Amino acid sequence: MFYFDNIENKKILKSDFIKSAQAFFTTKESVITPNALSELEDLCQQNKDQIAKYLGINERNFVIPKQTHSDNIKIADINENFEDTDALVTNNPEIAIVLNFADCTPVIIYDEILNIGAIAHAGWRGTASKICVKTVDFMIKNYHSNPKNMTALIGPAISMKNYQVQEDVYKKISNSLENQYNDYYSYDSKADKYNIDLKTVNFHQLVEAGLDNKRIDKCDYCTYDSNDIFFSYRKENGITARHSAILKLENRK
């Protein structure tokens, strides 16, 4: 279940599905990525400092890739710049991986047994290319992780009623699923368009990848409707900052 916590009295969103690692989503109060809103730069720096202290790391140990709506997955390292990367995987408890969002679906995946985690950026392109499934497969291949030991948090993203796409996008997303479901879309005959719930598509993809559906926490918050809490690219006409998904592994030393 998702709930609000705070860092220095600034709101963050957590889930009780992950307790040992630090996994959460920032909000407009705890924003660390100003993007198009340069007036937020000082606040973002202050929040970065406070979040780094909360996590017990140096701010230099934030690993933040340059996201491009790709399906490229990399192992996080503080000594590398990650261009064209939309999922990071780590087994290093000395760093925090950070990806940024403003309507797209943030997915945090954590294997508590092996203390390995990942964050994936699943917009419609990432969802259509099954970036979360590929991230799970990456963890299996590189760390011998078992999907049955993985917990996933599907964070705040735009909801079905506020996300409408053309038929070609609908078909690409539909083709990303191995089975047929009727809970992730609706058809608007007047507009001749489809409304899509990317959070639900990613939920089904994760189950198809081998995760237990009882270990997937899907957030109800819509970034468009809850624009007072989260950033929304559509609601704010592209002129907006970003909220972040942050994961810092448990230090078991």
Side-chain angles (χ1 to χ4, degrees):
M1 175 181 284
F2 280 91
Y3 64 96
F4 286 109
D5 200 350
N6 68 83
I7 297 174
E8 298 291 335
N9 295 315
K10 295 172 183 177
K11 193 179 293 185
I12 60 171
L13 184 68
K14 283 188 168 185
S15 166
D16 58 10
F17 277 41
I18 294 179
K19 296 183 174 69
S20 55
Q22 288 288 354
F24 57 89
F25 306 90
T26 64
T27 66
K28 284 190 167 183
E29 293 178 3
S30 51
V31 57
I32 63 172
T33 304
N35 204 270
L37 302 182
S38 59
E39 64 268 25
L40 294 181
E41 287 179 359
D42 289 345
L43 174 63
C44 288
Q45 186 57 55
Q46 180 188 72
N47 288 341
K48 266 190 178 181
D49 293 342
Q50 291 173 343
I51 290 173
K53 182 179 178 181
Y54 175 83
L55 295 174
I57 62 172
N58 191 295
E59 186 206 317
R60 293 192 297 267
N61 287 20
F62 284 124
V63 182
I64 308 174
K66 183 173 177 56
Q67 299 162 217
T68 58
H69 297 278
S70 71
D71 60 354
N72 297 327
I73 304 162
K74 300 287 180 61
I75 295 173
D77 188 320
I78 58 174
N79 297 315
E80 185 177 343
N81 292 321
F82 293 94
E83 302 288 332
D84 191 26
T85 302
D86 285 85
L88 286 176
V89 181
T90 185
N91 67 345
N92 184 353
E94 303 302 322
I95 66 173
I97 54 177
V98 180
L99 274 76
N100 297 309
F101 304 83
D103 283 340
C104 293
T105 307
V107 182
I108 298 174
I109 303 169
Y110 180 55
D111 180 338
E112 185 173 1
I113 302 300
L114 298 181
N115 197 33
I116 294 162
I119 302 176
H121 167 231
W124 79 258
R125 291 178 181 84
T127 300
S129 62
K130 302 174 71 166
I131 191 168
C132 287
V133 174
K134 291 174 180 177
T135 302
V136 169
D137 290 344
F138 189 98
M139 293 169 69
I140 295 168
K141 179 180 178 181
N142 289 275
Y143 299 101
H144 307 291
S145 188
N146 184 338
K148 295 301 180 186
N149 295 330
M150 296 180 189
T151 299
L153 310 182
I154 301 175
I158 197 165
S159 61
M160 183 193 297
K161 74 173 185 175
N162 293 311
Y163 188 58
Q164 199 167 73
V165 300
Q166 302 281 358
E167 184 178 12
D168 62 329
V169 173
Y170 160 73
K171 285 184 176 180
K172 289 175 182 177
I173 292 170
S174 180
N175 289 338
S176 73
L177 293 165
E178 297 175 6
N179 301 302
Q180 293 185 345
Y181 310 93
N182 59 14
D183 59 350
Y184 70 89
Y185 72 94
S186 63
Y187 176 62
D188 182 345
S189 58
K190 290 183 179 179
D192 191 25
K193 292 183 179 180
Y194 290 81
N195 287 70
I196 301 291
D197 184 348
L198 292 177
K199 288 186 285 188
T200 297
V201 177
N202 281 280
F203 176 90
H204 290 313
Q205 288 182 357
L206 287 166
V207 173
E208 291 179 350
L211 274 72
D212 183 340
N213 63 357
K214 295 184 176 63
R215 298 188 66 161
I216 304 172
D217 199 3
K218 186 177 69 168
C219 178
D220 289 334
Y221 280 100
C222 168
T223 48
Y224 191 98
D225 286 340
S226 298
N227 189 224
D228 58 324
I229 303 173
F230 303 104
F231 297 101
S232 171
Y233 188 89
R234 287 201 170 195
K235 185 70 171 283
E236 298 171 84
N237 298 312
I239 305 172
T240 185
R242 299 290 188 268
H243 49 267
S244 305
I246 299 177
L247 175 65
K248 195 259 181 204
L249 302 177
E250 182 182 22
N251 195 330
R252 295 181 176 177
K253 293 180 181 179

